[in-house]
Amino acid sequence: IGASIGIALRPDHGTTLTELMRAADAAMYHAKARGRGRAEHFSETLAAEMADRSQLESDLRDAVGRDQFTLVYQPQIACNDGRIVAAEALLRWRHPRLGLKLPGSFIKRAEETGLIVEIGEWVIETVADTIARWSRMGIEQRLAVNISPRQLDHAQFFRRLRDAMRVANAPARLLELEITETMAMHCSDDVIEAIAALRADGASIAIDDFGTGYSNLARLRDLPIDRVKLDRSLIEFVADKAQARTIAQAVIGLIHGLGCEAVAEGIETQAQAEVLRIIGCDIIQGYAVAQPMAEDDFIAWARDLPRQAAAG
Ligand code: C2E
Ligand code: MG
Ligand code: MG
């Protein structure tokens, strides 16, 4: 048996029992985060972190009701002919005081507090509306959405998703769900069944951030999936290091062996794109193709794409 100890001192870290317990608790979590089996004192830094966290939580609560979220779209293009096969919808937060915030700065907190369920519902409804609106404009575009573990665990998730698609009049075949490798390895049989049903209706399923978690290959084989997205860390050095290329090629072979398409994300250079095309990757996404864009910019970019391709 081991122990992680948090220490708070009166009166520096509080005067009431509640304050002292809260401070000691924060110090104890800090001790755990620093490797467990150690003792940590409460500090000014920890106090500031606690204040930041609770500020972020209350800002997040307001954000949902105040229409502060928006989506940007990043194209995924086929390696063989350069056509757009999908666009990934990525969340942005127009924070009233701090400006535009990236998901890295708030998704984790949204997950911890459960607010991700509400935010995720907004994302799905917005994506369903966007699919339908673009269809009316003559743009048939598959949109991919990122799903958090907390959302999948929520009993109503699949029903709400179907409702949103039906209400917006958006066909399932234009929706793609991205679930992370770690999530895919841990979700329950019920969730897998619901994913399979959605896929049977025409939606496609992608495994995100592949190569960052631990995959059980037998389980991967049995999952109802269409695409596997290689994490940036797997493809970062494909243009510079023979070993990185060999590994990426083997992983792409594995993905094809599962009957799936391989998508490489975070492609930043033409050299990476070229290597990936040669080693058999099907789809690429990244700054080398285009940045995530606001809706209007994405539409303009997509309209312009055939002309760019013709110009070489
Ligand atoms: P992800 O799903 O793996 O998304 C790819 C991330 O890589 C995006 O970051 C994208 O902007 C970034 N990226 C694209 N091309 C490049 C490139 O060439 N180089 C580099 N270095 N990065 C590139 P972003 O938008 O900051 O999102 C980060 C993560 O937040 C996403 O990773 C996803 O896990 C999560 N996320 C985004 N939107 C949502 C959402 O609506 N719901 C949930 N639950 N999570 C979301
Ligand atoms: Mg993603
Ligand atoms: Mg990813």
Side-chain angles (χ1 to χ4, degrees):
I1 297 176
S4 297
I5 302 172
I7 302 164
L9 299 172
R10 184 176 189 280
D12 293 5
H13 304 145
T15 46
T16 66
L17 182 62
T18 318
E19 282 167 6
L20 285 166
M21 286 300 286
R22 194 181 297 141
D25 201 42
M28 187 265 289
Y29 278 109
H30 186 56
K32 283 191 171 175
R34 295 193 63 184
R36 297 170 181 271
R38 46 191 295 147
E40 291 287 340
H41 280 84
F42 191 70
S43 64
E44 290 291 319
T45 323
L46 278 184
E49 273 172 23
M50 266 169 75
D52 282 354
R53 281 161 62 88
S54 68
Q55 183 65 51
L56 178 60
E57 181 177 344
S58 83
D59 287 355
L60 267 176
R61 278 187 202 286
D62 291 343
V64 184
R66 293 189 184 159
D67 202 24
Q68 290 170 2
F69 290 113
T70 182
L71 292 176
V72 289
Y73 301 89
Q74 188 178 36
Q76 298 177 350
I77 64 167
C79 289
N80 56 6
D81 59 8
R83 87 203 127 81
I84 310 179
V85 290
E88 178 171 8
L90 295 159
L91 189 61
R92 297 291 179 265
W93 178 10
R94 288 179 305 232
H95 194 286
R97 280 173 288 111
L98 306 172
L100 199 68
K101 277 172 83 79
L102 294 172
S105 68
F106 63 88
I107 288 280
K108 192 162 157 270
R109 193 76 193 118
E111 284 176 345
E112 287 164 0
T113 53
L115 284 166
I116 192 70
V117 171
E118 214 178 316
I119 298 171
E121 266 169 29
W122 178 87
V123 171
I124 297 232
E125 279 164 23
T126 308
V127 161
D129 283 346
T130 308
I131 290 175
R133 185 159 20 93
W134 290 6
S135 292
R136 290 194 294 273
M137 293 164 66
I139 308 168
E140 277 246 319
Q141 185 63 73
R142 184 168 66 211
L143 291 184
V145 275
N146 293 286
I147 307 296
S148 277
R150 279 295 283 266
Q151 285 176 272
L152 277 188
D153 288 342
H154 201 269
Q156 305 290 324
F157 175 76
F158 288 97
R159 193 178 58 76
R160 297 225 171 114
L161 176 93
R162 283 169 184 281
D163 285 353
M165 294 294 283
R166 190 170 33 75
V167 168
N169 201 11
R173 74 188 148 76
L174 295 180
L175 180 72
E176 179 159 314
L177 294 192
E178 291 194 4
I179 58 175
T180 64
E181 177 183 24
T182 310
M183 214 189 306
M185 288 303 127
H186 294 109
C187 59
S188 69
D189 289 348
D190 287 351
V191 167
I192 292 183
E193 214 172 285
I195 290 176
L198 200 65
R199 189 164 172 261
D201 287 350
S204 46
I205 313 296
I207 301 288
D208 204 356
D209 303 341
F210 188 78
T212 58
Y214 299 94
S215 272
N216 171 335
L217 295 181
R219 182 171 168 104
L220 201 59
R221 183 194 59 205
D222 293 335
L223 287 175
I225 53 177
D226 303 276
R227 300 199 167 76
V228 177
K229 299 184 76 176
L230 304 183
D231 189 69
R232 200 168 83 86
S233 54
L234 265 185
I235 51 86
E236 199 174 353
F237 298 111
V238 284
D240 323 296
K241 295 188 183 157
Q243 198 189 32
R245 197 150 50 232
T246 308
I247 292 172
Q249 187 162 20
V251 175
I252 291 168
L254 173 93
I255 294 168
H256 288 162
L258 293 167
C260 293
E261 286 181 315
V263 184
E265 62 179 351
I267 305 297
E268 294 182 348
T269 67
Q270 290 306 327
Q272 288 172 328
E274 186 56 16
V275 168
L276 283 157
R277 189 182 62 76
I278 291 167
I279 65 177
C281 185
D282 304 286
I283 298 163
I284 55 170
Q285 173 183 357
Y287 300 159
V289 178
Q291 299 267 342
M293 294 170 275
E295 178 170 348
D296 290 347
D297 296 330
F298 176 84
I299 293 173
W301 185 89
R303 288 227 159 103
D304 219 32
L305 189 64
R307 229 173 309 148
Q308 286 172 19

